[in-house]
């Protein structure tokens, strides 16, 4: 009984204070994506690579969504990924669309669009350093939903 009360109190506090954890998510989706990623540093020629990654998309409700890849080649986005950033959620029932801007010593703009009908992902990131140097990253790819109810072994 004590555990039940403790869980209820935690859920109530999360609701009141806006705390989020996967236990209170409205929707969690795991995707396997293959993304063609192009990066450009200043005046250097662009570099292109293909990144295969698992991406966790969590919708906490009230416009709060996080997109967390397991690849170090990609960035996270959403209020939980960078609490200092200004997050703009332009999502619809058919797509997740998150934009974020942070200004901690440098200006960083990030954007991810995941089309839930087409199964595509596009992302871009721009970092402007105080020195005036610019880093740009653009990617596009395809994703498939992981069915967590099926066991591989």
């Amino acid at each position: 009984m004590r555990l039940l009360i403790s869980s209820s109190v935690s859920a109530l506090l999360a609701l009141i204070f806006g705390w989020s954890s996967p236990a209170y998510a409205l929707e969690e989706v795991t995707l396997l994506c293959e993304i063609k990623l192009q990066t450009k540093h200043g005046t250097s020629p662009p570099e292109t690579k293909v990144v295969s990654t698992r991406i966790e998309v969590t919708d906490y409700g009230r416009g709060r969504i996080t997109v967390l890849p397991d690849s170090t080649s990609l960035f996270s986005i959403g209020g939980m990924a960078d609490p200092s950033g200004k997050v703009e959620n332009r999502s619809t029932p058919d797509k997740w669309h998150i934009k974020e801007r942070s200004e901690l010593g440098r200006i960083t703009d990030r954007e991810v669009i995941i089309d839930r009908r087409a199964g595509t992902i596009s992302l871009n990131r721009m970092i402007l350093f105080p020195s005036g140097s610019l880093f740009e990253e653009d990617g596009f790819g395809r994703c498939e939903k992981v069915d967590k109810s099926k066991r591989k072994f």
Side-chain angles (χ1 to χ4, degrees), residues 7-109:
S7 297
S8 298
V9 170
S10 296
L12 182 60
L13 289 173
L15 184 64
I16 292 169
F17 294 108
W19 298 339
S20 297
S21 76
Y24 305 111
L26 296 179
E27 182 177 17
E28 290 181 299
V29 176
T30 301
L31 305 171
L32 289 178
C33 303
E34 189 164 295
I35 302 167
K36 184 176 180 181
L37 192 64
Q38 184 176 50
T39 57
K40 189 169 189 304
H41 302 269
T43 58
S44 301
E47 298 175 19
T48 303
K49 65 181 173 181
V50 175
V51 177
S52 296
T53 187
R54 176 183 296 262
I55 296 178
E56 299 287 336
V57 180
T58 307
D59 184 345
Y60 295 99
R62 296 186 303 176
R64 293 177 37 191
I65 295 175
T66 59
V67 177
L68 304 170
D70 69 357
S71 171
T72 57
S73 297
L74 301 175
F75 57 89
S76 300
I77 190 168
M80 298 295 290
D82 183 1
S84 66
K86 178 184 175 238
V87 180
E88 185 178 340
N89 183 354
R90 298 180 174 181
S91 299
T92 68
D94 292 333
K95 72 176 178 182
W96 288 300
H97 183 178
I98 301 118
K99 293 182 77 165
E100 185 173 71
R101 180 181 195 107
S102 61
E103 298 180 19
L104 292 174
R106 61 183 183 217
I107 297 172
T108 304
D109 288 321

Side-chain angles (χ1 to χ4, degrees), residues 35-39 49 74-75 111 113 121-125 137-141:
I35 302 167
K36 184 176 180 181
L37 192 64
Q38 184 176 50
T39 57
K49 65 181 173 181
L74 301 175
F75 57 89
E111 180 175 32
I113 301 170
I121 183 170
S122 63
L123 51 92
N124 63 52
R125 172 170 55 170
E137 182 176 58
D138 292 297
F140 183 81

